[in-house]
């Protein structure tokens, strides 16, 4: 047996039982330690320090032609199925491609509400939003897209979100008084585009048209006309036949989202692109095999997105890619939780996640195990591009610059 299995099993036994841990911060540190040791054993990743990481000249140089692609996992993952010995088979691309060629943050803590829309809104604002997760509202605080466009005077075509469901339709811009309507990102709902294209016959695509894996209090009404959907399809040159020819699974909404993102990158080449994958949230259905299948698909799609970046001249050599779950899931031992199926407890397991950064200028094969927060993403993007997210509560991650 690999020595990591023995050592890590002992450490897991020590922090998986709440009565043997003083507080949630102890669990967060232990989770970080587990991920770091796992990566050291499997990929030979080395530790990073804050003091040796920051290079102002390098940061300034990266702003010329800088692009960023952010990929979030809506419906987070647990270490048991990913960054642990028994889970490594589910993430071969992250382990073999991204870790050796990027910087990995082992302790990214989400201290906000653990609902997918509100948590994603917190990621895009750098502030822990507090609205009802199922409400059809914009984020209260300015989004990264509004900072990006206003400070850098970028056109509407330069910032886009590929969103998983109707509930994310307002994620592109805030209700903040400093930013008016139309000042944020365009939001594409791939399922709406597909539904419009298949209006007469959706046979074979019914599963793709399901809006989400949870039961919202109400479904947000969308003010998007069929004509607007048609214009969007024409602009991106979308084709149901083309999607069907390239997708490995016609039952995966994430496959559809990545197809739309590919067309968006090729046709418009936005400098700031945000993609939220959501297949993993099928865990709410309670079928473990579907949950694992979604993790494996997300891993593969992240690799495909990276290849898309390399194959597009507008992106190759000048793009930084960020990958992070919005939060985790309940542990099998958490009181009041349902293990992989839900994220109800709000304990350290469901709050402590990770982030992978890869791309132009990013240090390779480096692990950062100091605690950071999910709200740190927006200020870090600000430093990459050169805008100031004045309302964000997060801090710049110098290890990325």
């Amino acid at each position: 047996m690999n020595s990591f299995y023995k050592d890590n099993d002992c450490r897991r036994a020590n922090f998986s039982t709440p009565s043997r841990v003083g507080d949630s911060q102890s669990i967060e540190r232990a989770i970080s330690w587990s991920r770091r040791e796992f990566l050291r054993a499997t990929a030979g990743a080395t530790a990073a320090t804050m003091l040796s990481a920051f290079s102002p000249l390098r940061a300034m140089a990266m702003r010329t032609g800088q692009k960023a692609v952010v990929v979030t996992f809506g419906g987070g993952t647990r270490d048991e199925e990913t960054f642990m010995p028994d889970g490594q088979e589910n993430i071969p691309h992250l382990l073999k491609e991204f870790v050796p060629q990027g910087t990995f943050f082992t302790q990214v803590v989400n201290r906000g509400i653990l609902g997918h829309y509100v948590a994603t809104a917190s990621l895009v604002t750098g502030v822990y939003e507090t609205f009802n997760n199922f409400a059809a509202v914009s984020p209260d605080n300015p989004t990264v897209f509004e900072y990006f466009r206003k400070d850098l005077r970028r056109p509407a075509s330069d910032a886009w979100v590929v969103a998983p469901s109707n509930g994310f339709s307002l994620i592109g811009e805030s209700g903040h008084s400093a930013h008016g309507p139309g000042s944020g990102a365009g939001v594409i709902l791939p399922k709406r585009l597909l539904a419009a294209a298949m209006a007469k016959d959706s046979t074979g695509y019914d599963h793709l048209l399901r809006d989400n894996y949870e039961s919202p209090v109400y479904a947000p009404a969308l003010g998007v006309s069929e004509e607007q959907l048609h214009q969007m399809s024409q602009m991106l040159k979308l084709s149901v036949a083309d999607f069907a020819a390239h997708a490995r699974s016609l039952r995966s909404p994430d496959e559809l989202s990545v197809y739309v993102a590919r067309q968006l990158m090729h046709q418009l080449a936005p400098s700031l692109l945000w993609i939220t994958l959501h297949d993993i949230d099928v865990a709410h259905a309670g079928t473990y095999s579907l949950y694992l299948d979604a993790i494996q698909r997300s891993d593969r799609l992240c690799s495909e997105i990276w290849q898309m970046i390399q194959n597009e001249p507008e992106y190759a050599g000048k793009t930084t890619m960020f990958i992070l779950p919005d939060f985790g899931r309940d542990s099998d031992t958490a009181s009041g939780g349902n293990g992989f199926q839900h994220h109800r407890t709000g304990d350290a397991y469901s709050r402590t996640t990770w982030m992978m950064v890869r791309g132009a200028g990013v240090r390779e094969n480096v692990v950062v195990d100091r605690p950071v927060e999910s709200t740190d993403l927006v200020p870090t993007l600000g430093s990459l591009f050169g805008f100031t997210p004045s309302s964000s509560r997060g801090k710049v991650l110098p290890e990325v610059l």
Side-chain angles (χ1 to χ4, degrees):
M1 177 182 289
N2 187 304
S3 62
F4 175 80
Y5 282 79
K6 296 179 180 178
D7 296 341
N8 197 61
D9 286 347
C10 293
R11 180 61 65 98
R12 290 287 294 182
N14 285 339
F15 73 80
S16 62
T17 304
S19 61
R20 302 186 65 178
V21 178
D23 56 359
S24 62
Q25 289 185 344
S26 298
I27 301 177
E28 291 165 4
R29 288 191 295 269
I31 294 171
S32 172
W33 179 93
S34 173
R35 290 171 182 159
R36 182 192 67 203
E37 293 303 300
F38 172 69
L39 291 175
R40 187 178 69 176
T42 57
T46 58
T49 63
M50 282 187 61
L51 294 178
S52 65
F54 183 62
S55 171
L57 293 178
R58 182 158 153 267
M60 290 294 292
M62 281 307 301
R63 292 180 186 174
T64 303
Q66 172 73 48
K67 291 183 182 291
V69 175
V70 180
V71 180
T72 65
F73 294 159
T77 62
R78 307 187 307 176
D79 282 3
E80 287 88 339
E81 292 82 32
T82 53
F83 294 101
M84 288 283 286
D86 290 344
Q88 61 183 315
E89 66 182 10
N90 298 318
I91 53 168
H93 296 286
L94 289 178
L95 287 177
K96 296 177 182 179
E97 300 170 17
F98 284 85
V99 170
Q101 297 182 34
T103 294
F104 184 80
F105 291 81
T106 66
Q107 191 179 173
V108 181
V109 182
N110 182 331
R111 304 196 186 282
I113 299 173
L114 303 187
H116 296 301
Y117 176 47
V118 68
T120 303
S122 299
L123 288 175
V124 304
T125 62
V127 180
Y128 291 122
E129 299 285 334
T130 58
F131 57 79
N132 180 339
N133 182 62
F134 296 115
V137 296
S138 298
D140 293 325
N141 297 279
T143 66
V144 62
F145 315 111
E146 291 163 308
Y147 294 127
F148 168 75
R149 288 192 53 204
K150 184 176 182 178
D151 286 11
L152 305 182
R153 299 181 179 179
R154 297 296 181 90
S157 61
D158 212 26
W160 287 87
V161 179
V162 179
S165 64
N166 292 350
F168 287 71
S169 63
L170 300 177
I171 195 72
E173 61 185 32
S174 69
H176 197 276
S177 59
H179 300 270
S183 62
V187 178
I188 298 179
L189 302 172
K191 295 177 185 178
R192 287 296 307 278
L193 291 175
L194 179 65
M198 305 295 294
K200 295 182 179 180
D201 183 11
S202 62
T203 304
Y205 295 89
D206 293 341
H207 185 78
L208 285 178
L209 300 181
R210 178 177 177 176
D211 189 57
N212 62 76
Y213 296 107
E214 296 180 280
S215 298
V217 176
Y218 62 93
L222 299 180
V224 181
S225 68
E226 295 301 312
E227 177 61 26
Q228 289 173 310
L229 292 173
H230 177 71
Q231 290 175 356
M232 176 66 69
S233 296
Q234 292 293 105
M235 179 178 66
L236 299 181
K237 301 185 184 305
L238 300 178
S239 163
V240 175
D242 188 38
F243 162 65
H246 291 87
R248 291 196 188 181
S249 171
L250 297 182
R251 293 180 57 81
S252 165
D254 285 352
E255 293 267 15
L256 178 63
S257 291
V258 171
Y259 168 72
V260 170
R262 177 185 287 110
Q263 297 302 108
L264 186 61
M265 292 169 66
H266 187 69
Q267 299 299 329
L268 299 181
S271 296
L272 181 54
L273 174 60
W274 191 292
I275 307 167
T276 294
L277 303 180
H278 215 62
D279 280 3
I280 292 175
D281 214 36
V282 73
H284 285 298
T287 304
Y288 191 67
S289 61
L290 293 179
Y291 166 60
L292 292 183
D293 181 60
I295 293 174
Q296 294 164 7
R297 185 182 308 111
S298 297
D299 173 75
R300 171 176 57 81
L301 290 176
C302 283
S303 180
E304 290 186 12
I305 293 170
W306 177 254
Q307 291 305 314
M308 287 157 48
I309 291 170
Q310 302 313 302
N311 293 335
E312 289 289 343
E314 291 289 333
Y315 287 87
K318 49 192 174 184
T319 301
T320 306
M321 182 176 179
F322 297 80
I323 305 172
L324 68 162
D326 51 8
F327 44 78
R329 307 194 80 83
D330 292 344
S331 71
D332 290 330
T333 59
S335 175
N338 291 89
F340 78 93
Q341 190 175 356
H342 292 298
H343 38 82
R344 293 172 173 170
T345 62
D347 64 6
Y349 295 99
S350 54
R351 293 188 178 280
T352 309
T353 183
W354 49 268
M355 180 168 70
M356 192 86 69
V357 188
R358 181 184 184 185
V362 176
R363 288 166 178 77
E364 297 185 350
N365 206 34
V366 169
V367 173
V368 180
D369 58 4
R370 69 181 182 89
V372 303
E373 296 197 30
S374 55
T375 51
D376 295 338
L377 176 60
V378 168
T380 302
L381 288 168
S383 289
L384 278 178
F385 282 106
F387 61 80
T388 302
S390 54
S391 296
S392 171
R393 308 285 175 79
K395 300 177 181 178
V396 173
L397 300 175
E399 295 90 347
V400 176
L401 306 178

